Amino acid sequence: MKIDILTLFPEMFENIFSSSIIKRAQEEQKVVINTINFRDYSKDPHHKVDDTPYGGGDGMVLTCQPIFDCVEALKTEKSKVILLTPDGTKYEQKLAYNLSEEEHLIIICGHYEGFDERIRTLADLELSIGDYVLTGGEYASLVIVDSIVRLIPGVIKESSHQNESFNENLLDYPNYTKPREFRGMEVPEVLVSGDHKKIAEYRKNESIKKTQLRRPDMTLKRSDGYEL
């Protein structure tokens, strides 16, 4: 997979992309991640990428030319262009799985007051990571890239993400490790029983209870017919 991130602040990505699982995925050539400063594509004598909004108002608006030229220089028939915007589709785990199967993603990070509305015509998909406003799309792109890269085959063990939160519209079951007792709190007996069938049943039931308690909004009916 190849991921190109269009941003005015490529330095924001350096430490994160050179650490942990994302670093290893790049070293093993599972993914190629590029950060492109679309200011480099500006034809303005002073390399401006924003201007005042028509109709008046506060802030500056990203202009069309640098972003259009940058996307068009990178895009191929196999590219999917993603625009990060507060009014985009809410990002969820199912979408992360779908995007992890793409060959090439181009992610546009907005900044300042917003972007010229005509930039939307470049996008195959508009995404939001939540109902709040960030200073720029860089933070959202980090979340999205991390969630996608870990799902690329071979990056982590498949079993590590098969039973995670949000799969089958359930939160993850509670986990424990040593010691068996800590400050009067003990690991549930079933987890040390060695009975794998009972452990699987316990974990499924705990996932269902946790979802009912903490996220009843997730869904009313799962694929196995169990109604939350």
Side-chain angles (χ1 to χ4, degrees), residues 21-91:
I21 290 174
I22 294 182
K23 177 185 178 181
R24 188 170 70 245
Q26 293 178 93
E27 290 175 343
E28 295 176 355
Q29 299 182 343
K30 305 291 185 183
V31 63
V32 175
I33 304 175
N34 301 310
T35 53
I36 296 102
N37 191 335
F38 57 84
R39 188 183 299 277
D40 294 339
Y41 287 80
S42 174
K43 294 179 180 178
D44 180 85
H46 303 290
H47 300 289
K48 284 184 59 179
V49 295
D50 58 354
D51 213 326
T52 54
Y54 280 117
D58 296 328
M60 303 290 280
V61 177
L62 290 175
T63 58
C64 291
Q65 180 270 312
I67 295 177
F68 267 78
D69 284 3
C70 186
V71 170
E72 289 167 355
L74 299 170
K75 190 174 181 181
T76 70
E77 293 181 356
K78 297 180 179 179
S79 304
K80 180 179 285 291
V81 180
I82 298 172
L83 179 64
L84 301 178
T85 171
D87 54 6
T89 299
K90 184 179 178 182
Y91 189 61

Side-chain angles (χ1 to χ4, degrees), residues 188-222:
E189 188 68 29
V190 64
L191 296 179
V192 295
S193 68
D195 189 326
H196 296 294
K197 182 178 180 180
K198 287 185 177 179
I199 290 172
E201 291 174 352
Y202 163 83
R203 285 175 167 171
K204 181 175 181 180
N205 288 334
E206 288 298 308
S207 288
I208 292 170
K209 287 196 295 184
K210 191 177 185 180
T211 307
Q212 287 175 320
L213 178 65
R214 300 190 178 192
R215 288 293 303 275
D217 60 297
M218 283 178 63
T219 185
L220 295 177
K221 191 171 184 179
R222 304 194 305 122

